[in-house]
Amino acid sequence: MKQTSDHQTPQLLAGKHALVTGGRRGIGAAVTRQLLAYGAKVTTLSRSSPNQSKDAPGEHRELQHAFADVGDSAAVMKAFDDARSRFGPIDILVN
């Protein structure tokens, strides 16, 4: 099992891409932090900008943010396309 050098968290999700809806606040932000800790690349999907939430995960090289209202299917499809363009296929969806 691959380990990180600084805090020995197993990198069980290394190479996986997760998309977390609502990943900028509350439970979604906590899930995002855990996925990053386990080595996943994470895209958060939300309606608000990253600066609007005190719970938001900090900057991370394996983290990107997409913005769309889930009620707008065209905007959601674009957000998914944008997510895949940087981190590849989405392996995990947390909604």
Side-chain angles (χ1 to χ4, degrees):
M1 179 179 339
K2 188 176 176 183
Q3 301 281 326
T4 62
S5 59
D6 58 342
H7 54 38
Q8 301 302 313
T9 300
Q11 297 294 283
L12 301 173
L13 299 175
K16 300 294 183 185
H17 177 194
L19 187 136
V20 181
T21 62
R24 306 286 306 150
R25 301 175 4 149
I27 294 171
V31 168
T32 295
R33 284 190 288 277
Q34 286 299 305
L35 288 166
L36 289 166
Y38 281 96
K41 298 172 185 173
V42 180
T43 301
T44 63
L45 178 65
S46 65
R47 291 180 292 178
S48 61
S49 75
N51 301 327
Q52 291 181 336
S53 174
K54 62 179 175 54
D55 297 336
E59 293 304 313
H60 191 284
R61 66 184 171 87
E62 302 295 344
L63 174 64
Q64 66 180 346
H65 310 289
F67 304 99
D69 182 338
V70 296
D72 180 347
S73 60
V76 171
M77 292 303 293
K78 182 181 181 326
F80 270 67
D81 289 343
D82 292 346
R84 287 189 295 261
S85 71
R86 178 170 175 202
F87 289 152
I90 297 166
D91 303 296
I92 302 164
L93 174 64
V94 180
N95 183 12

